[in-house]
Amino acid sequence: MIISIASGKGGTGKTLVATSLALSLKENTRVQLLDCDVEEPNDHIFLKPIISESQAVCIPTPKVDEAKCTYCGRCAEICAYHAIVVFPKTALVFAPLCHGCGACSYLCPEKAISEENREIGVVEWGHSDGIQFVQGRLNVGEAMAVPVIRAVKARTSHDGIAIIDVSPGTSCPVVESVKGSDFCLLVTEPTPFGLNDLALAVETVRMLKIPCGVVVNRAGVGDEKVEEYCRKEDIPILLTIPLDTSIAHLCSQGIPLVEGKPEWKDSFLRLFDAIGEMVNERDCSPKR
Amino acid sequence: MKEIVVLSGKGGTGKTSIVGSFAALAKDKVLADCDVDAADLHLLLQPVAREKQEFWSGQAAQIDSQKCIQCGLCQEMCRFEAIKDFKVDSVSCEGCGFCAHLCPVQAIALRENMAGHWFISDTRYGPLVHARLGIAQENSGKLVALVRQQARELAEKQGSSLIISDGPPGIGCPVISSLSGASLAVLVTEPTLSGIHDMERVLGVCRHFGVPAMACINKCDSNDYNTYQIVRYCHSQNVEVAAQIPFDNTVTEAMIQGLPVVEYRQNDVSRQINVLWETITGRLTN
């Protein structure tokens, strides 16, 4: 089963939920944690994994052989990202704009374009005290997170429970991370910002047709509107974590909640049971 | 014209609450919300839209099943695995158009994608340019670039010399798009290990694009040791820590009232935001 953890808004506690859920489950099942927030991965701060292997994430980028090139301009014309510009006597490649689709090299009439790999990030894996751990890191200065996310997800193990920590927002990196999950947990906080971004995240998972439930973090900080919204939209609130300075202090030190306060483990196991029931119901439902 | 952009790397550090207060403190300016993916600044500024425009961007392939001979070449050559069973999955499609060029019977066409909306609005603090990216859309960097360009045009038209941008979280495409060419980045961080890690990365992006940065530690009293580490780190990197804002629930109370903190209550939080703003204006005029 694949459970992704998203939020719309940043800083609501995705990493807290992802790490504590993984730690609570590891005694009973095989657990894998995949940090797909490749722009700012944080799970490693909490789980302190031993990274045993890593692999560069590369994008194939065109290289023009000027001995063969006739400067016909066909490559520049077909490149949707304007990553190649052809002048009468030279052809320039703007590598950071290239998405690596391969059209230019394939369609070049002179076969003058080859591809070379350009590293944009890295995927690393290992383990943390019984949890299989995978994370991606986008290189600083690079724009495209999605290929790094794909490389992380390619390592998803399909036996046991895979937990995916997703970046904030609702655009392409989030969709790429959440796609293919059996369930999506949405972590929010009861404030107007939290509610606004939760509603966007709900739209995203509904579009992907993935069942979802909500974790309300820092309960007590704001107002009741998140609860009202979940009731109205028929989205279950599966876990509530109160606003508590001692929890905030644990998180600030990089200590997972269930490690600092083991009494929370039961709540995370119940959270997992509720998710399991919802996924099973959906799988058995005649609508599908 | 000067443009300051507020960034954090990590989400939830308080960027938008601080930008909302800057809106109340700055005199003659244009505001821009560059978090087009999950914009929140409108919740504080309550803009009234003056202009609403569609944002058309990116392309997605479409297969005409009448013409398609199911040769499978497009499926085989697509590197984004966006074509399955002779249908395009528009979420995976990167709009490169390789398939359309390859198709032997011209059954594939690219169509422009309506990816969201952008707005020029009036707020009680002056004009705001903001946007709403459609759900699951790409090209947020392009929409951010559009928001910034509109903000610059507006500032020129009304003779303002300052743009204040609320930036997106992360370090990827929308962040780069909101940062490149700005006059100053204000990095809002919090004293957690995640906050420190993410600030280091976003500072790397500022350096990469040659934008000077200054820092502000929010919720500074929630972990004194980490705050001390951030101050030391910033010092070692020659980054000025312009303010240390204590944790206070009035920030959330102000948000619920739809007001910037500096207008909602005079306390240590609002005083520190004032200090931050004075430091920024001092830096910009030098």
Side-chain angles (χ1 to χ4, degrees):
Chain A
M1 178 158 55
I2 302 174
I3 302 169
S4 53
I5 297 173
S7 72
K9 181 171 156 42
T12 55
K14 280 183 298 294
T15 300
L16 179 160
V17 172
T19 53
S20 283
L21 184 60
L23 286 164
S24 304
L25 289 171
K26 71 170 187 182
E27 279 154 35
N28 309 323
T29 22
R30 286 169 67 94
V31 183
Q32 188 185 34
L33 182 66
L34 302 111
D35 195 345
C36 281
D37 187 357
V38 304
E39 292 181 42
E40 302 291 13
N42 285 148
D43 287 338
H44 68 98
I45 293 171
F46 291 82
L47 292 183
K48 303 168 189 73
I50 296 160
I51 299 295
S52 50
E53 279 176 270
S54 69
Q55 201 174 56
V57 179
C58 297
I59 288 190
T61 308
K63 190 181 175 196
V64 181
D65 179 351
E66 301 226 7
K68 290 186 192 164
C69 180
T70 60
Y71 310 104
C72 72
R74 176 82 175 132
C75 52
E77 182 190 303
I78 55 177
C79 177
Y81 314 109
H82 310 293
I84 306 187
V85 180
V86 179
F87 298 102
K89 281 187 179 141
T90 185
L92 287 178
V93 176
F94 296 94
L97 299 179
C98 173
H99 288 221
C101 72
C104 56
S105 60
Y106 187 84
L107 297 170
C108 171
E110 312 301 331
K111 298 278 164 258
I113 303 179
S114 58
E115 289 181 303
E116 55 184 18
N117 277 331
R118 189 174 75 87
E119 185 183 321
I120 59 159
V122 65
V123 54
E124 301 167 320
W125 61 98
H127 62 93
S128 165
D129 197 16
I131 297 170
Q132 292 178 52
F133 183 82
V134 188
Q135 72 174 2
R137 273 192 293 122
L138 180 69
N139 287 349
V140 168
E142 288 292 342
M144 277 184 285
V146 169
V148 184
I149 294 170
R150 284 202 188 109
V152 174
K153 288 188 74 182
R155 309 206 65 84
T156 308
S157 128
H158 291 277
D159 57 339
I161 313 293
I163 296 168
I164 294 179
D165 197 357
V166 181
S167 53
T170 62
S171 65
C172 35
V174 174
V175 171
E176 191 63 37
S177 305
V178 174
K179 216 164 55 176
S181 300
D182 297 295
F183 193 86
C184 184
L185 258 185
L186 300 170
V187 186
T188 187
E189 55 178 30
T191 65
F193 288 6
L195 173 60
N196 180 69
D197 301 346
L198 172 67
L200 298 174
V202 166
E203 271 187 68
T204 311
V205 292
R206 284 194 171 152
M207 189 204 76
L208 294 168
K209 298 190 175 67
I210 295 170
C212 66
V214 164
V215 175
V216 177
N217 191 14
R218 300 194 197 103
V221 71
D223 55 16
E224 310 296 316
K225 299 241 168 69
V226 163
E227 283 170 39
E228 284 169 27
Y229 167 82
C230 289
R231 245 194 324 271
K232 200 178 90 217
E233 293 290 325
D234 203 17
I235 301 165
I237 294 176
L238 300 174
L239 180 67
T240 301
I241 303 169
L243 176 72
D244 177 340
T245 48
S246 67
I247 295 178
H249 197 71
L250 284 175
C251 290
S252 73
Q253 296 167 282
I255 300 171
L257 175 60
V258 298
E259 244 168 46
K261 292 174 175 285
E263 66 272 22
W264 273 91
K265 205 178 264 185
D266 274 346
S267 307
F268 279 93
L269 289 173
R270 279 199 299 276
L271 167 68
F272 176 70
D273 287 343
I275 292 171
E277 271 170 39
M278 288 176 72
V279 171
N280 277 338
E281 247 170 60
R282 179 182 141 105
D283 287 345
C284 301
S285 136
K287 275 178 276 177
R288 249 189 117 202
Chain B
M1 180 152 355
K2 305 282 187 184
E3 184 178 355
I4 62 168
V5 54
V6 181
L7 292 171
S8 70
K10 182 168 157 42
T13 57
K15 280 185 298 294
T16 303
S17 291
I18 287 171
V19 171
S21 286
F22 287 173
L25 293 171
K27 295 233 157 50
D28 183 23
K29 77 283 172 182
V30 170
L31 297 155
D33 193 344
C34 288
D35 189 354
V36 299
D37 201 358
D40 283 331
L41 192 56
H42 66 280
L43 298 172
L44 291 182
L45 304 184
Q46 285 133 26
V48 178
R50 190 200 293 179
E51 222 179 281
K52 176 181 180 178
Q53 306 272 359
E54 287 176 350
F55 170 62
W56 287 77
S57 166
Q59 295 188 315
Q62 206 170 23
I63 301 177
D64 181 343
S65 57
Q66 300 289 308
K67 288 190 194 161
C68 175
I69 52 166
Q70 308 205 337
C71 70
L73 185 61
C74 55
Q75 228 153 285
E76 184 193 323
M77 297 300 290
C78 174
R79 292 190 179 169
F80 309 109
E81 292 170 23
I83 305 179
K84 275 180 203 109
D85 302 326
F86 315 104
K87 282 200 190 78
V88 178
D89 167 11
S90 60
V91 172
S92 299
C93 177
E94 299 239 347
C96 68
F98 194 9
C99 54
H101 288 292
L102 286 170
C103 178
V105 292
Q106 282 84 48
I108 305 179
L110 289 171
R111 55 184 169 78
E112 279 281 311
N113 201 8
M114 216 278 279
H117 288 92
W118 60 271
F119 312 84
I120 295 180
S121 298
D122 292 307
T123 77
R124 55 195 187 278
Y125 311 104
L128 167 71
V129 184
H130 52 131
R132 175 75 191 88
L133 190 70
I135 294 296
Q137 292 294 338
E138 277 189 58
N139 275 315
S140 55
K142 210 163 149 188
L143 183 52
V144 169
L146 181 67
V147 165
R148 285 184 71 199
Q149 181 204 335
Q150 291 298 327
R152 272 194 299 274
E153 280 174 20
L154 196 60
E156 262 163 34
K157 212 171 358 175
Q158 65 174 45
S160 312
S161 55
L162 180 65
I163 296 168
I164 303 173
S165 301
D166 190 5
I171 63 161
C173 150
V175 173
I176 290 172
S177 187
S178 64
L179 183 69
S180 53
S183 324
L184 176 68
V186 178
L187 309 181
V188 182
T189 185
E190 55 181 22
T192 64
L193 295 183
S194 313
I196 297 171
H197 173 258
D198 297 351
M199 183 185 72
E200 289 177 14
R201 281 169 64 84
V202 80
L203 181 61
V205 179
C206 295
R207 294 254 159 87
H208 190 94
F209 291 97
V211 177
M214 80 171 42
C216 156
I217 309 175
N218 197 10
K219 306 172 198 161
C220 65
D221 49 354
S222 61
N223 188 317
D224 293 334
Y225 179 70
N226 285 343
T227 295
Y228 166 76
Q229 291 297 339
I230 294 172
V231 172
R232 271 190 45 174
Y233 171 76
C234 287
H235 187 73
S236 74
Q237 297 294 314
N238 251 328
V239 171
E240 180 180 3
V241 178
Q244 297 190 28
I245 304 172
F247 175 79
D248 195 311
N249 210 38
T250 52
V251 177
T252 308
E253 286 166 25
M255 187 198 293
I256 289 167
Q257 300 303 319
L259 281 174
V261 197
V262 291
E263 285 193 334
Y264 178 70
R265 188 164 296 164
Q266 277 306 307
N267 60 8
D268 279 351
V269 172
S270 44
R271 272 189 289 277
Q272 280 297 314
I273 295 176
N274 269 291
V275 168
L276 176 63
W277 181 245
E278 275 163 27
T279 314
I280 290 167
T281 42
R283 176 92 168 243
L284 287 179
T285 48
N286 279 336

